[in-house]
Amino acid sequence: MASSDHGSTTAPKDVPGSYGLPLVGAVRDRLDFYYFQGQDKYFESRVERYGSTVVRMNVPPGPFMARDPRVVAVLDAKSFPVLFDMDKVEKKDLFTGTYMPSTSLTGGYRVCSYLDPSEPTHTKVKQLLFSLLLSRKDDVIPTFRSNFSSLLATVEAELAKGGKAEFNKLNDVTSFDFIGEAYFGVRPSATELGKGGPTKAAKWLIWQLHPLVTLGLPMVLEEPLLHTFHLPPFLVKGDYRALYKYFSTVAKQALDTAEGLGLSREEACHNLLFATTFNSYGGLKVLFPGLLANVASGGEKLHERLVAEIRGAVADAGGKVTLAAVERMELAKSVVWESLRLDPPVKFQYGHAKKDLLVESHDAVFQVRKGEMLFGYQPCATKDPRVFGDTAGDFVPDRFLGEEGSKLLQYVYWSNGRETENPSVDNKQCPGKNFVVLVGRLLLVELFLRYDTFTAEVGKELLGTSVIFTGVTKATSGPGS
Ligand code: HEM
């Protein structure tokens, strides 16, 4: 099924599509992307126009931030995995795509997400993150539970007061504290950083991601402000310094490990900050509201089944939420995977062709030249009807259950790799892969130990979904702890 640069019997075709006129074409496409068509339509309409899921197009931001906005987009489940093949693509400096934020936002270092596996520092930092996650594995469940049970207590208080509770706001504060405590044993809000951590982090994230977002302001404001020039890094320096201080204080043990791996404490600390604040916090900011929205849409019937599975497994483990108990919750796991499939939190992936190669879609084989930028819009691949059938665009909680269901896991790509494969120092798959699927399940555990069902209003916000709780029904049966 993977794309190949040899062995195909079909004659390779040139990739169809168009970049339009230099400069003008890219600016026009950017406006289509943000304002006239919107993300999904932007890609779908080009697939339709050229009758191909491998197609040339411009991607934002374009001028003047990106030197070259031209890409070969891979937009089906069969062509997309070329981006995972380290023999075929180089992943240097393209974490955010065709532009790269200033390294003065990351202490002057190119942090792990921007490194290709061929660079020795990539191996050292990834190894550091694997060992950090491993060393803290027993702390994840209790830390998650204490932070998120307190979030749900706040939800209940807000519902009692005003009939509504905004999940995203509470999630930002809680996820930030949870990750800090889970990785380093100290909640950021209990340090000098105080309650300002999530706001400082969000501001720093915007400085890196503003070329790719719209704030819903009029186009005449957003275009010059967000999409044409980089926001000056000095305006976020103080926020970054405060975040750095937290990490340099609490991460002593991880920094010792880093030195043992041959990294300087300073480079390691900037990397820990990035992996915690951008990769982990940024990820949970989008993942949890998306998951909750999907589970809310499943309604009482789904909730009843999750209640039965979760409470049953916890009761069998003597009333405790253990890793073994969580592993037995197959429906919960399928729900988390399905949500990651339907709404992958990181939607864009890029890679430069290392050599002339062939990329295979469902329908044809295409010639791509060395140095060309390959680009994947993940929702097109993970909602491919040729793999997921008529329900490809729907939330199907049971999708990955059983033997047949597990065969579909190879087409779940949220971690920048197949769900059936594992991150390593030799690839660019997310080192937080197992952690993410675990905490997704833990959110469901916390919810359905506490509630029989809940209702929520779902909308859109800057980086994904917004969720407002409108009602919860407290648990009527055990174990409830
Ligand atoms: C890489 C997604 C959570 C650390 C990636 C990539 C994706 C991704 C798509 C590949 C980007 C690319 O190269 O194109 C996510 C999502 C998360 C999440 C959706 C949460 C919902 C985490 C967590 C960690 C983490 C918890 C903590 C260690 C990293 C790092 C990389 C990475 C360091 C770069 C890997 C490398 O250079 O080999 N992640 N991630 N991520 N992620 Fe995650």
Side-chain angles (χ1 to χ4, degrees), residues 91 95 112-113 115 122 126 129 133 183 275 279-280 283-284 287 345-346 348-350 414-416 427-432 435-436:
K91 298 274 293 179
F95 177 59
C112 186
S113 289
L115 302 178
H122 174 267
K126 207 160 178 182
L129 296 172
L133 290 171
Y183 293 176
N279 298 121
S280 307
L284 297 195
L287 173 77
V346 178
F348 307 148
Q349 266 93 57
Y350 304 81
W414 73 268
S415 65
N416 193 42
N427 64 28
K428 285 291 283 180
Q429 192 166 10
C430 177
F435 176 87
V436 169

CSV table of all heavy atoms in Angstrom, one decimal, residues 91 95 112-113 115 122 126 129 133 183 275 279-280 283-284 287 345-346 348-350 414-416 427-432 435-436, ligand 1:
chain,number,residue,atom,x,y,z
A,91,LYS,N,13.1,16.1,6.4
A,91,LYS,CA,12.2,16.9,7.2
A,91,LYS,C,12.9,18.0,7.9
A,91,LYS,O,12.5,18.4,9.0
A,91,LYS,CB,11.6,15.9,8.2
A,91,LYS,CG,10.8,14.8,7.7
A,91,LYS,CD,9.3,15.1,7.4
A,91,LYS,CE,8.5,15.4,8.6
A,91,LYS,NZ,7.1,15.8,8.3
A,95,PHE,N,8.7,21.9,10.0
A,95,PHE,CA,7.7,21.5,11.0
A,95,PHE,C,6.4,22.4,10.7
A,95,PHE,O,5.3,21.9,10.7
A,95,PHE,CB,8.2,21.7,12.4
A,95,PHE,CG,7.2,21.4,13.5
A,95,PHE,CD1,6.6,20.2,13.6
A,95,PHE,CD2,7.0,22.4,14.4
A,95,PHE,CE1,5.7,20.0,14.7
A,95,PHE,CE2,6.1,22.2,15.5
A,95,PHE,CZ,5.5,21.0,15.6
A,112,CYS,N,13.9,20.1,18.3
A,112,CYS,CA,13.8,18.7,17.7
A,112,CYS,C,12.8,18.7,16.5
A,112,CYS,O,13.0,18.1,15.5
A,112,CYS,CB,13.3,17.8,18.8
A,112,CYS,SG,13.2,16.1,18.2
A,113,SER,N,11.6,19.4,16.7
A,113,SER,CA,10.6,19.3,15.6
A,113,SER,C,11.1,19.7,14.3
A,113,SER,O,10.6,19.4,13.2
A,113,SER,CB,9.4,20.1,16.0
A,113,SER,OG,8.7,19.4,17.1
A,115,LEU,N,14.3,19.3,13.2
A,115,LEU,CA,15.5,18.5,12.8
A,115,LEU,C,15.1,17.3,12.0
A,115,LEU,O,14.1,16.6,12.3
A,115,LEU,CB,16.3,18.1,14.1
A,115,LEU,CG,16.7,19.2,15.1
A,115,LEU,CD1,17.4,18.6,16.3
A,115,LEU,CD2,17.6,20.2,14.4
A,122,HIS,N,19.0,15.4,16.6
A,122,HIS,CA,17.6,14.8,16.6
A,122,HIS,C,17.6,13.5,17.5
A,122,HIS,O,16.7,13.4,18.3
A,122,HIS,CB,17.2,14.5,15.2
A,122,HIS,CG,15.9,13.8,15.1
A,122,HIS,ND1,15.8,12.4,15.1
A,122,HIS,CD2,14.6,14.3,15.1
A,122,HIS,CE1,14.5,12.1,15.0
A,122,HIS,NE2,13.8,13.2,15.1
A,126,LYS,N,15.4,13.3,20.9
A,126,LYS,CA,14.3,12.3,20.9
A,126,LYS,C,14.5,11.3,22.0
A,126,LYS,O,13.6,10.9,22.7
A,126,LYS,CB,14.1,11.7,19.6
A,126,LYS,CG,12.6,11.3,19.3
A,126,LYS,CD,12.3,11.1,17.9
A,126,LYS,CE,10.9,10.7,17.7
A,126,LYS,NZ,10.5,10.4,16.4
A,129,LEU,N,13.5,12.7,25.3
A,129,LEU,CA,12.0,12.7,25.5
A,129,LEU,C,11.5,11.3,25.8
A,129,LEU,O,10.6,11.1,26.7
A,129,LEU,CB,11.3,13.3,24.3
A,129,LEU,CG,11.7,14.8,24.1
A,129,LEU,CD1,11.1,15.3,22.7
A,129,LEU,CD2,11.2,15.7,25.2
A,133,LEU,N,9.6,10.5,29.3
A,133,LEU,CA,8.2,9.9,29.4
A,133,LEU,C,8.2,8.6,30.1
A,133,LEU,O,7.3,8.3,30.9
A,133,LEU,CB,7.6,9.7,28.0
A,133,LEU,CG,7.3,11.1,27.3
A,133,LEU,CD1,6.9,10.8,25.8
A,133,LEU,CD2,6.1,11.8,28.0
A,183,TYR,N,5.3,15.6,33.8
A,183,TYR,CA,6.6,15.5,33.3
A,183,TYR,C,7.7,15.8,34.4
A,183,TYR,O,8.8,15.2,34.4
A,183,TYR,CB,6.9,16.4,32.1
A,183,TYR,CG,6.1,16.1,30.9
A,183,TYR,CD1,6.2,16.9,29.7
A,183,TYR,CD2,5.3,15.0,30.8
A,183,TYR,CE1,5.5,16.6,28.6
A,183,TYR,CE2,4.6,14.7,29.6
A,183,TYR,CZ,4.7,15.5,28.5
A,183,TYR,OH,4.0,15.3,27.3
A,275,ALA,N,8.9,20.9,23.6
A,275,ALA,CA,8.1,19.6,23.6
A,275,ALA,C,7.0,19.7,24.6
A,275,ALA,O,5.9,19.1,24.3
A,275,ALA,CB,9.1,18.5,23.9
A,279,ASN,N,4.5,21.1,21.6
A,279,ASN,CA,4.0,19.8,21.2
A,279,ASN,C,2.9,19.3,22.1
A,279,ASN,O,1.8,18.9,21.7
A,279,ASN,CB,5.1,18.8,21.1
A,279,ASN,CG,6.2,19.1,20.2
A,279,ASN,OD1,7.4,19.3,20.5
A,279,ASN,ND2,5.9,19.3,18.9
A,280,SER,N,3.2,19.2,23.4
A,280,SER,CA,2.2,18.6,24.3
A,280,SER,C,1.0,19.5,24.7
A,280,SER,O,-0.1,19.1,24.5
A,280,SER,CB,2.9,18.2,25.6
A,280,SER,OG,4.0,17.4,25.4
A,283,GLY,N,-0.9,20.4,21.7
A,283,GLY,CA,-1.7,19.2,21.2
A,283,GLY,C,-2.9,19.0,22.1
A,283,GLY,O,-4.0,18.8,21.5
A,284,LEU,N,-2.8,19.0,23.4
A,284,LEU,CA,-4.0,18.8,24.3
A,284,LEU,C,-5.0,19.9,24.2
A,284,LEU,O,-6.2,19.6,24.4
A,284,LEU,CB,-3.5,18.6,25.7
A,284,LEU,CG,-2.6,17.4,26.0
A,284,LEU,CD1,-2.6,17.1,27.5
A,284,LEU,CD2,-3.0,16.1,25.3
A,287,LEU,N,-6.8,18.5,21.1
A,287,LEU,CA,-7.3,17.1,21.2
A,287,LEU,C,-8.5,17.0,22.1
A,287,LEU,O,-9.5,16.4,21.7
A,287,LEU,CB,-6.1,16.2,21.7
A,287,LEU,CG,-6.6,14.8,22.1
A,287,LEU,CD1,-6.7,14.0,20.8
A,287,LEU,CD2,-5.6,14.1,23.0
A,345,PRO,N,-5.4,16.6,15.3
A,345,PRO,CA,-5.1,18.0,15.8
A,345,PRO,C,-4.0,18.7,15.0
A,345,PRO,O,-4.1,19.9,14.9
A,345,PRO,CB,-4.6,17.7,17.2
A,345,PRO,CG,-5.2,16.4,17.6
A,345,PRO,CD,-5.3,15.6,16.3
A,346,VAL,N,-3.1,17.9,14.4
A,346,VAL,CA,-2.1,18.6,13.5
A,346,VAL,C,-2.4,18.2,12.1
A,346,VAL,O,-2.2,17.0,11.7
A,346,VAL,CB,-0.6,18.1,13.9
A,346,VAL,CG1,0.4,18.8,13.0
A,346,VAL,CG2,-0.4,18.5,15.4
A,348,PHE,N,-1.4,19.5,9.0
A,348,PHE,CA,-0.5,19.6,7.8
A,348,PHE,C,0.9,18.9,8.0
A,348,PHE,O,1.4,19.0,9.1
A,348,PHE,CB,-0.1,21.1,7.6
A,348,PHE,CG,-1.3,22.0,7.5
A,348,PHE,CD1,-1.2,23.3,7.9
A,348,PHE,CD2,-2.5,21.6,6.9
A,348,PHE,CE1,-2.3,24.2,7.8
A,348,PHE,CE2,-3.6,22.5,6.8
A,348,PHE,CZ,-3.5,23.8,7.3
A,349,GLN,N,1.3,18.2,7.1
A,349,GLN,CA,2.7,17.6,7.1
A,349,GLN,C,3.4,17.9,5.8
A,349,GLN,O,2.8,17.9,4.8
A,349,GLN,CB,2.6,16.1,7.3
A,349,GLN,CG,2.7,15.7,8.8
A,349,GLN,CD,1.3,15.6,9.4
A,349,GLN,OE1,0.5,14.8,8.9
A,349,GLN,NE2,1.0,16.3,10.5
A,350,TYR,N,4.7,18.0,6.0
A,350,TYR,CA,5.6,18.4,4.8
A,350,TYR,C,6.8,17.6,4.7
A,350,TYR,O,7.3,17.0,5.8
A,350,TYR,CB,6.0,19.9,4.9
A,350,TYR,CG,4.9,20.9,5.1
A,350,TYR,CD1,4.3,21.1,6.3
A,350,TYR,CD2,4.5,21.6,4.0
A,350,TYR,CE1,3.3,22.0,6.5
A,350,TYR,CE2,3.5,22.6,4.1
A,350,TYR,CZ,2.9,22.8,5.4
A,350,TYR,OH,1.9,23.7,5.6
A,414,TRP,N,-2.5,10.4,12.7
A,414,TRP,CA,-2.3,11.7,13.5
A,414,TRP,C,-0.9,11.9,14.0
A,414,TRP,O,-0.5,13.1,14.2
A,414,TRP,CB,-3.3,11.7,14.6
A,414,TRP,CG,-2.9,10.7,15.7
A,414,TRP,CD1,-3.3,9.4,15.9
A,414,TRP,CD2,-2.0,11.0,16.8
A,414,TRP,NE1,-2.7,8.9,17.0
A,414,TRP,CE2,-1.9,9.8,17.6
A,414,TRP,CE3,-1.3,12.1,17.2
A,414,TRP,CZ2,-1.1,9.7,18.7
A,414,TRP,CZ3,-0.5,12.1,18.4
A,414,TRP,CH2,-0.4,10.9,19.1
A,415,SER,N,-0.2,10.8,14.3
A,415,SER,CA,1.1,11.0,14.9
A,415,SER,C,2.3,11.2,13.9
A,415,SER,O,3.4,11.1,14.3
A,415,SER,CB,1.4,9.8,15.8
A,415,SER,OG,1.5,8.6,15.0
A,416,ASN,N,1.9,11.4,12.6
A,416,ASN,CA,2.9,11.5,11.6
A,416,ASN,C,3.6,10.1,11.4
A,416,ASN,O,4.8,10.0,11.2
A,416,ASN,CB,4.0,12.5,11.9
A,416,ASN,CG,4.9,12.8,10.7
A,416,ASN,OD1,4.4,12.9,9.6
A,416,ASN,ND2,6.2,13.0,10.9
A,427,ASN,N,12.9,8.1,12.9
A,427,ASN,CA,11.8,8.6,12.1
A,427,ASN,C,11.3,9.9,12.8
A,427,ASN,O,11.9,10.4,13.8
A,427,ASN,CB,10.7,7.6,12.0
A,427,ASN,CG,10.1,7.2,13.3
A,427,ASN,OD1,10.0,8.0,14.3
A,427,ASN,ND2,9.5,6.0,13.4
A,428,LYS,N,10.3,10.5,12.2
A,428,LYS,CA,9.7,11.7,12.7
A,428,LYS,C,8.4,11.5,13.3
A,428,LYS,O,7.6,12.5,13.5
A,428,LYS,CB,9.6,12.8,11.6
A,428,LYS,CG,10.9,13.4,11.1
A,428,LYS,CD,11.6,14.3,12.2
A,428,LYS,CE,10.9,15.6,12.2
A,428,LYS,NZ,11.6,16.5,13.2
A,429,GLN,N,8.1,10.3,13.7
A,429,GLN,CA,6.8,10.0,14.3
A,429,GLN,C,6.8,10.6,15.7
A,429,GLN,O,7.8,10.6,16.4
A,429,GLN,CB,6.5,8.5,14.4
A,429,GLN,CG,5.1,8.2,14.8
A,429,GLN,CD,4.7,6.7,14.5
A,429,GLN,OE1,5.6,5.9,14.2
A,429,GLN,NE2,3.5,6.4,14.6
A,430,CYS,N,5.6,11.1,16.2
A,430,CYS,CA,5.5,11.8,17.5
A,430,CYS,C,5.9,10.9,18.6
A,430,CYS,O,5.3,9.8,18.8
A,430,CYS,CB,4.1,12.2,17.7
A,430,CYS,SG,3.8,13.0,19.2
A,431,PRO,N,6.9,11.3,19.4
A,431,PRO,CA,7.3,10.5,20.6
A,431,PRO,C,6.2,10.5,21.7
A,431,PRO,O,6.3,9.6,22.6
A,431,PRO,CB,8.6,11.2,21.1
A,431,PRO,CG,8.4,12.7,20.6
A,431,PRO,CD,7.7,12.6,19.3
A,432,GLY,N,5.2,11.4,21.6
A,432,GLY,CA,4.1,11.4,22.6
A,432,GLY,C,3.0,10.4,22.2
A,432,GLY,O,1.9,10.5,22.8
A,435,PHE,N,1.4,8.3,24.9
A,435,PHE,CA,1.0,9.2,26.0
A,435,PHE,C,-0.4,9.8,25.6
A,435,PHE,O,-1.3,9.9,26.3
A,435,PHE,CB,2.0,10.3,26.2
A,435,PHE,CG,1.7,11.4,27.2
A,435,PHE,CD1,1.9,11.2,28.5
A,435,PHE,CD2,1.1,12.5,26.7
A,435,PHE,CE1,1.6,12.2,29.4
A,435,PHE,CE2,0.7,13.5,27.6
A,435,PHE,CZ,1.0,13.4,29.0
A,436,VAL,N,-0.5,10.2,24.3
A,436,VAL,CA,-1.6,10.9,23.8
A,436,VAL,C,-2.9,10.0,23.8
A,436,VAL,O,-3.9,10.4,24.3
A,436,VAL,CB,-1.4,11.5,22.4
A,436,VAL,CG1,-2.7,12.0,21.7
A,436,VAL,CG2,-0.4,12.6,22.5
B,1,HEM,C1,6.1,15.4,16.3
B,1,HEM,C2,1.3,15.4,16.6
B,1,HEM,C3,1.6,15.4,21.5
B,1,HEM,C4,6.4,15.7,21.1
B,1,HEM,C5,4.8,15.4,16.0
B,1,HEM,C6,4.2,15.3,14.6
B,1,HEM,C7,2.9,15.3,14.7
B,1,HEM,C8,2.5,15.3,16.1
B,1,HEM,C9,1.9,15.3,13.6
B,1,HEM,C10,5.0,15.3,13.4
B,1,HEM,C11,5.2,16.7,12.8
B,1,HEM,C12,6.0,16.7,11.5
B,1,HEM,O1,7.2,16.4,11.6
B,1,HEM,O2,5.4,16.9,10.5
B,1,HEM,C13,1.0,15.5,18.0
B,1,HEM,C14,-0.4,15.6,18.5
B,1,HEM,C15,-0.3,15.6,19.9
B,1,HEM,C16,1.1,15.5,20.2
B,1,HEM,C17,-1.6,15.7,17.7
B,1,HEM,C18,-1.3,15.7,20.9
B,1,HEM,C19,-2.6,15.6,20.7
B,1,HEM,C20,3.0,15.3,21.8
B,1,HEM,C21,3.5,15.1,23.1
B,1,HEM,C22,4.8,15.2,23.0
B,1,HEM,C23,5.2,15.4,21.6
B,1,HEM,C24,2.6,14.8,24.3
B,1,HEM,C25,5.8,15.0,24.2
B,1,HEM,C26,6.9,14.4,24.1
B,1,HEM,C27,6.7,15.7,19.7
B,1,HEM,C28,8.0,15.9,19.2
B,1,HEM,C29,7.9,15.8,17.8
B,1,HEM,C30,6.5,15.6,17.5
B,1,HEM,C31,9.3,16.2,20.0
B,1,HEM,C32,9.1,15.8,16.8
B,1,HEM,C33,9.5,14.4,16.6
B,1,HEM,C34,10.8,14.2,15.8
B,1,HEM,O3,11.4,15.2,15.5
B,1,HEM,O4,11.1,13.0,15.5
B,1,HEM,N1,3.7,15.3,16.9
B,1,HEM,N2,1.8,15.4,19.0
B,1,HEM,N3,4.0,15.5,20.9
B,1,HEM,N4,5.8,15.5,18.7
B,1,HEM,FE1,3.9,15.3,18.9
